[in-house]
Structures are given as structure tokens and as C-alpha cells.
């Protein structure tokens, strides 16, 4: 329990569940399968694995070290470790701003998901004709009242967990939800794999097609690796500040990364074989989950309704543990001696819900769709800022700070728990990755992203 408020995770297992909960989200279940299929399946997967383990994991470890060593929120953590360079606090601030924007857009999509869960439960989805799901989704997402209702509901749940505290709220909920999530996902995988024609979906996902792996695909792989691990915006600095003092940071980072990666691949296995078995289009993009999968579920008959409930529950739970970590970062930053946790969490929720509702109104044909910033609808602007621009910038600065501005002895001391854990291999291998490979890769992504 490293923070001044005395809050923290009670065990390494609890910390792994909470951080894996942050990492596993819409990015794994909805975004990864679609991107992987688009950029060449197995070929993309190979590149993705390298980025996840050599760059994403390095960033996670860096953020954990910065968080635990300083015991502070992202904005105070950098200057605490380098008091002679107070300007670094702006990196923490940029991360927190990114969290705020991601939370707003996450709330919109989570609201959709919760609505689909509700419509699976009540049987509404089962009554819609296959060809009408596109219209159904657009009419719902562009309407004024219903999306806001579900955004509010989802945010209320998130806020309640945060008010519960780090150990009694976040850790407890994550320890409960993450295993449930894995079980639900495995159930869906078994069903999907046993459908007639499932092998075409497996081939789509895993057979390497190097001709589809373009430069754009390689960039997408790095972007997805950062997004999926929730690194590059300071959330893991926050969770790092809650890590138990005897937690082995290297080991914890490996576990979280493996969980996140495995759940992304399992999601692909749950989705694509079913999509192919029902003769649907696998390149549905954002619509895949809300427009294509309901068709798949309906074609399975009565049991399909149960799988639809399971799937949208799974997606809602995954989104919830991610939203929790985002709101926690903002709450930790706002709380001090005067503003307690409850007041800060409620205040942040009220602020972010305004942006989320505005983003929802500006989506598709919504009532504010004609309002544009820089030629883009608000929803698309947020999506672009949080998906491709801000995280790589913050990630680059974080890894530069870690590799070039923190003292090597401090890093080794923190990773080895003051000399009680062996970290010899880290010194040789990872130090090179931290100082040179990761910053160079991030720089390349950024520059090419800006050029495009
Ligand atoms: N990792 C989350 C996902 O896969 C998305 C995400 C990105 C996130 N950055 C985050 C979640 C920061 C929590 C905190 O869906």
C-alpha cells in the first residue's frame, strides 16, 4: 500500500485482476478480431505479438515502476521522481486528459452494449428481421433518450465501485468479474467452434496472408497493442501506486499481458467461426458486434437468445472494469485532504457525462450531428484523438522518461524489490528495449500517423 491515503491492492492476485480488468475491454472483444482479420490474420498476429510483448509490456512495467516508486498520481509522480524537472508533470496531465476523453467515448459504446444486453434479455432482438439490424442500430444510437439512459446507468455502476474504494471496490469487483468473463468467453468459443463451417472462420483469423500486411497494418498493430494494454495514459501509474510493496512487477506485467493477449485471441475464436458459419460478412467493422452478431444469434434459434445474452453481458462486464480504471485515475487525481474519494468521483462523473452525452448526440444522425469541430463530428473527433493521437504521444514521453530521466539504480531497486528479486536478465535485454527500441518504434508510428 504505497499511497499516502493508505489505499492499495491487498495482494498480487488482486492487482493482476484489477489491471487485467482495465486492459481487457471493448478493444479485445470488438476491435482486435476485426483488425486482425482485416490486416492478414496470422501475419498480423505475429507482428502484434512482438509489439505486445516487447513494447506494450515494457510500457506497462515502466508505468508500474513510476507509480509504485512515487506513490503519487500521474501528475505528481514525474516531478517527484525528478524534482529538478517539474515540466514532466505535463506528461501526467496529458495522460489524465486522455483518460477523460477515452472515458467519454467508452461510456457511449458501453451504453450501446448495455442496451443490447437488455434487448437480448427482453427478447426485442430476437424479433428483428435479419435485414433490419442496421436500421435498428442506427435508429437506436442516433436517438436522444435511450442511449443517454444507458450511459447514465453504466456510469452510475462505475461510480459506485469507485466510491467503494481501491480494495473493497475495484479489487473485489475485478476478482469477481474477471473469472466470470473468462468462463462466458469459453462457453461462446465452444459453441462457435462446433458450428458447421466454423473452420473458415479459424482460417480467416489465423492463416497468415502476408500480402494483406501493409505498413498501415503494422501501425495498426502497434496502436492496438497500446490501446489494448491500457498503457500510455497513466492508468497503470495509478494502479502501480496501489501495488503491494513486495509485488514482483516484472512477473505481474507478464501475467497481465498474457491475459490480455489470450482474451483477444479467444474473442476472435468466439466471433469469426460463428460469423462464417452463418454466411455473414466478417469485415463489418464497428457494426460487427451490433449489426452482424445479432443475425448470427437469431439464426441459432432459441438457444441463440441465451448466447446473445451471454455475449452482451460479457462485453458489458469487460467494459465496466475498464471504465472503472479510467474513473479511478481521474478520481485519484482530484482527491486530496479536502475532497474525499466520494465527492471527487461524483464530480468527475458529472463532468464526463456531459461530454459523453454530447458525443452520443453527435453520433450518426443524432440531434447534434451537424455540429462539427475541425470538420469532424464530436464522436469521430474523440475517437481519433483517443485512438490514434494522444496515447502514442504519451507513451513515447513515458518511455523516454523511464529510459533516460529516471536513475537506472532506482529502476533496478524497484524492480528487484530492494534487491530481494533477481532481475539480472532485465539489465541486459530490457534496458536496450526501453532506451532504444520502444522509443524508436513509437516515434515511427507517430510520424507516419501524422503524415497520413
Ligand atoms: N484497454 C481497453 C480495451 O482494450 C481500452 C483502454 C485504452 C483503456 N486505454 C485505457 C481502458 C485506459 C482503461 C484505461 O478496451
Amino acid at each position: 500500500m504505497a499511497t499516502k491515503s493508505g489505499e492499495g491492492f491487498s495482494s498480487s492476485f488482486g492487482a493482476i485482476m484489477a489491471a487485467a480488468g482495465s486492459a481487457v475491454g471493448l478493444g479485445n472483444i470488438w476491435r482486435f478480431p476485426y483488425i486482425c482479420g482485416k490486416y492478414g490474420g496470422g501475419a498480423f498476429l505475429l507482428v502484434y505479438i512482438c509489439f505486445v510483448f516487447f513494447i506494450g509490456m515494457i510500457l506497462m512495467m515502466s508505468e508500474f515502476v513510476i507509480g509504485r516508486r512515487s506513490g503519487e498520481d500521474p501528475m505528481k509522480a514525474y516531478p517527484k521522481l525528478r524534482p529538478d524537472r517539474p515540466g514532466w508533470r505535463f506528461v501526467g496531465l496529458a495522460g489524465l486528459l486522455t483518460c477523460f476523453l477515452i472515458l467519454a467515448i467508452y461510456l457511449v459504446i458501453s451504453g450501446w452494449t448495455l442496451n443490447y444486453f437488455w434487448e437480448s434479455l427482453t427478447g426485442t432482438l430476437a424479433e428483428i428481421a435479419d435485414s433490419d439490424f442496421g436500421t435498428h442500430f442506427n435508429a437506436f444510437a442516433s436517438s436522444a433518450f435511450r442511449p443517454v439512459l444507458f450511459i447514465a446507468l453504466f456510469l452510475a455502476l462505475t461510480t459506485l465501485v469507485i466510491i467503494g474504494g481501491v480494495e473493497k471496490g475495484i479489487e473485489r469487483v475485478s476478482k469477481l468479474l474477471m473469472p466470470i468473463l473468462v468462463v462466458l468467453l469459453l462457453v461462446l468459443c465452444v459453441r462457435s467452434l462446433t458450428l458447421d463451417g466454423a473452420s473458415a472462420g479459424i482460417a480467416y483469423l489465423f492463416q497468415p496472408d502476408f500480402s494483406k500486411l501493409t505498413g498501415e497494418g503494422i501501425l495498426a498493430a502497434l496502436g492496438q497493442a497500446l490501446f489494448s494494454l491500457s498503457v500510455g495514459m497513466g492508468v497503470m501509474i495509478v494502479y502501480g501506486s496501489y501495488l503491494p510493496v513486495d509485488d514482483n512487477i516484472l512477473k505481474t506485467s507478464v501475467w497481465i499481458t498474457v491475459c490480455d493477449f489470450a482474451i483477444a485471441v479467444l474473442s476472435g475464436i468466439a466471433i469469426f467461426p460463428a460469423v462464417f458459419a452463418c454466411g455473414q460478412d466478417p469485415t463489418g467493422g464497428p457494426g460487427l458486434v451490433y449489426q452482424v452478431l445479432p443475425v448470427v444469434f437469431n439464426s441459432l434459434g432459441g438457444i441463440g437468445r441465451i448466447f446473445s445474452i451471454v455475449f452482451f453481458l460479457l462485453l458489458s462486464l469487460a467494459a465496466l472494469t475498464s471504465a472503472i480504471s479510467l474513473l479511478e485515475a481521474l478520481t485519484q487525481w482530484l482527491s486530496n485532504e479536502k475532497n474525499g474519494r466520494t465527492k471527487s468521483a461524483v464530480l468527475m462523473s458529472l463532468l464526463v457525462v456531459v461530454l459523453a452525452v454530447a458525443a452520443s448526440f453527435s453520433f450518426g444522425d443524432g440531434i447534434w450531428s451537424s455540429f462539427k469541430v475541425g470538420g469532424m463530428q464530436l464522436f469521430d473527433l474523440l475517437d481519433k484523438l483517443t485512438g490514434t493521437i494522444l496515447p502514442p504521444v504519451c507513451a513515447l514521453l513515458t518511455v523516454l522518461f523511464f529510459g533516460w530521466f529516471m536513475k537506472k539504480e532506482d529502476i533496478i531497486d524497484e524492480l528487484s524489490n530492494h534487491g530481494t528479486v533477481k532481475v539480472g536478465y532485465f539489465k541486459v535485454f530490457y534496458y536496450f528495449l526501453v532506451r532504444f527500441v520502444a522509443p524508436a518504434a513509437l516515434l515511427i508510428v507517430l510520424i507516419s500517423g501524422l503524415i497520413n
Side-chain angles (χ1 to χ4, degrees), residues 77-86 88 401 404-407:
Y78 291 95
K80 177 149 182 194
L81 297 173
R82 278 302 295 263
D84 55 325
R85 305 262 177 162
W88 277 99
F401 179 84
W404 296 89
F405 289 86
M406 258 186 96
K407 283 203 212 83

Side-chain angles (χ1 to χ4, degrees), residues 14 29 40 50 71 73 130 156 170 193 224 261 267 364 429:
I29 303 175
C50 295
D73 66 56
D130 286 1
I170 302 174
L193 284 173
Q224 174 66 14
F261 177 73
S267 304
F429 188 46

Side-chain angles (χ1 to χ4, degrees), residues 22-28 102 106 226-231 233 235 260 322-323 325-326:
S22 171
V24 173
L26 300 165
N28 300 61
I102 292 194
Y106 227 77
L226 297 181
F227 186 82
S228 188
L229 289 174
S230 305
V231 291
M233 48 220 86
V235 167
D260 186 69
S322 297
S325 70
L326 289 162

Side-chain angles (χ1 to χ4, degrees), residues 241-293:
S241 76
Y242 300 148
L243 282 179
V245 279
D246 59 349
D247 183 68
N248 183 337
I249 289 184
L250 274 174
K251 224 174 169 177
T252 295
S253 309
V254 173
W255 269 111
I256 298 164
T257 309
V258 168
C259 278
D260 186 69
F261 177 73
I263 289 181
V265 173
L266 286 174
S267 304
I269 296 178
I271 292 176
F272 283 116
V275 168
F276 274 87
C278 298
Q280 292 293 315
D281 176 16
T283 55
L288 188 65
V289 162
Y290 304 102
Q291 296 169 28
V292 178
L293 283 185

Side-chain angles (χ1 to χ4, degrees), residues 7 14 16 28 58 62 68 77 81 137 203 212 233 237 260 277 295 309-310 328 360-361 375 393 411 425 434:
E7 291 227 66
I16 291 173
N28 300 61
I58 295 284
S62 315
R68 191 170 71 179
L81 297 173
F137 174 73
K212 280 204 247 160
M233 48 220 86
I237 296 186
D260 186 69
V295 178
I309 296 172
V310 169
E328 174 61 22
S360 173
F361 284 173
V393 174
I411 297 177
Y425 50 93
V434 169

